[in-house]
Amino acid sequence: MGIFSRFRKREVSPEVEPAVPPGLLVYAIGDIHGRDDLFADLLGRIEADRERRTYDICILILLGDLVDRGPSSDRVVERAITLSSRFDRVHHLIGNHEECMLAALTGDVRALRYFYRIGGESTIRSYLKNDDMLAQLPFEELAKAFPAAVPQSHVDYLGRGEDMIRYGDYVFVHAGVRPGTPLDRQKTSDLRWIRDEFLSDTSDHGVMVVHGHTISDDVDRGCNRIGIDTGAYASGCLTAIVLQGHIQGFLSTRDK
């Protein structure tokens, strides 16, 4: 879930040189939102990039919001499940949209209505593969049909997602962190949903926070955070950050 960020282009302090541990090559991908075409494209770019690097362990992190809004949420989840064979480690975060999808899959009609309203209609459509059924079913019936259409492997995969991952001086979360709260005391709701309080804050979190959730036209680099949600479902631009030692790089489906 995202709005185009008003908080962009702050200068990164030259004194801050975060790093990941030696031997690690880390890629983190921003919010995919059902754009399996862009997901496949960016993974290809990552494969090409890693071929020219020397490393011991290659890690992939998906920052959450794999589903909703774009047309192919089912295929995005299926592709994500297969990635463990292509990387040494794969992590995926639970975004606010995965949280809502998992709630809708319990059969709760109220949760389904909310999920449908925030972009879940496209996810439901991708799994049902029957637009006529979707148009005709009342929510009470859809609350039964939708869970029946989602493979258990997809439910299990989404449910195994993490809320925070740390490598060296970098922390990866979906939405952000609550300023002034130690990392080990962050609330799940903030990690998945926070926005303005985090985006407008310039205090030192003790780490560089890499996040998605809030859309910006390009990589949103601040003194204490790096946002890489570039609105893939609408812009056609899916972005990944590349970290090796003290070096930061970025890959994008917008790149030629």
Side-chain angles (χ1 to χ4, degrees), residues 4-251:
F4 283 85
S5 175
R6 301 185 301 274
F7 307 97
R8 300 184 62 245
K9 303 301 184 184
R10 287 201 303 273
E11 293 298 323
V12 179
S13 169
E15 299 177 359
V16 177
E17 295 185 357
V20 295
L24 298 189
L25 174 59
V26 180
Y27 297 92
I29 297 178
D31 303 32
I32 300 168
H33 274 307
R35 289 296 302 267
D36 186 58
D37 55 336
L38 301 180
F39 191 19
D41 182 339
L42 189 57
L43 286 169
R45 294 169 189 264
I46 287 173
E47 292 285 0
D49 183 78
R50 67 189 284 194
E51 286 180 2
R52 65 183 183 84
R53 298 177 183 270
T54 301
Y55 58 89
D56 297 323
I57 297 174
C58 186
I59 298 164
L60 178 68
I61 301 170
L62 306 178
L63 293 183
D65 282 6
L66 279 66
V67 301
D68 292 358
R69 296 183 171 162
S72 306
S73 292
D74 60 331
R75 294 204 296 270
V76 170
V77 176
E78 185 63 31
R79 188 181 301 277
I81 291 172
T82 69
L83 292 178
S84 60
S85 64
R86 298 171 61 180
F87 295 86
D88 297 305
R89 298 178 199 164
V90 178
H91 302 273
H92 69 280
L93 297 169
I94 297 179
N96 56 309
H97 284 261
E98 280 82 30
E99 177 183 297
C100 293
M101 179 177 173
L102 289 167
L105 287 170
T106 65
D108 184 300
V109 177
R110 181 179 298 181
L112 178 69
R113 285 180 181 273
Y114 182 71
F115 176 61
Y116 191 97
R117 180 166 64 83
I118 67 167
E121 177 186 357
S122 61
T123 299
I124 296 169
R125 189 182 306 277
S126 76
Y127 280 102
L128 286 184
K129 304 187 187 308
N130 188 327
D131 290 352
D132 291 338
M133 177 190 293
L134 181 58
Q136 295 172 12
L137 282 181
F139 277 104
E140 289 74 16
E141 293 301 317
L142 190 58
K144 300 175 184 176
F146 177 45
V150 179
Q152 187 61 44
S153 60
H154 288 207
V155 180
D156 293 343
Y157 173 81
L158 294 174
R160 290 195 300 268
E162 302 171 73
D163 283 306
M164 180 186 294
I165 298 157
R166 180 169 183 171
Y167 283 104
D169 302 321
Y170 288 89
V171 157
F172 302 84
V173 296
H174 174 64
V177 299
R178 174 69 58 180
T181 300
L183 293 177
D184 60 358
R185 296 178 61 187
Q186 293 285 327
K187 293 181 179 179
T188 299
S189 57
D190 285 331
L191 297 173
R192 299 178 183 178
W193 292 88
I194 198 170
R195 203 184 299 280
D196 288 359
E197 303 96 318
F198 167 67
L199 299 175
S200 61
D201 180 72
T202 58
S203 62
D204 184 1
H205 302 305
V207 291
M208 180 64 74
V209 180
V210 178
H211 66 95
H213 187 59
T214 298
I215 297 173
S216 53
D217 295 330
D218 204 343
V219 173
D220 186 2
R221 301 180 68 182
C223 61
N224 56 6
R225 65 178 185 85
I226 303 172
I228 59 170
D229 180 0
T230 46
Y233 73 93
S235 68
C237 178
L238 181 63
T239 299
I241 189 171
V242 188
L243 302 171
Q244 190 170 32
H246 289 281
I247 299 172
Q248 292 177 7
F250 301 91
L251 298 172

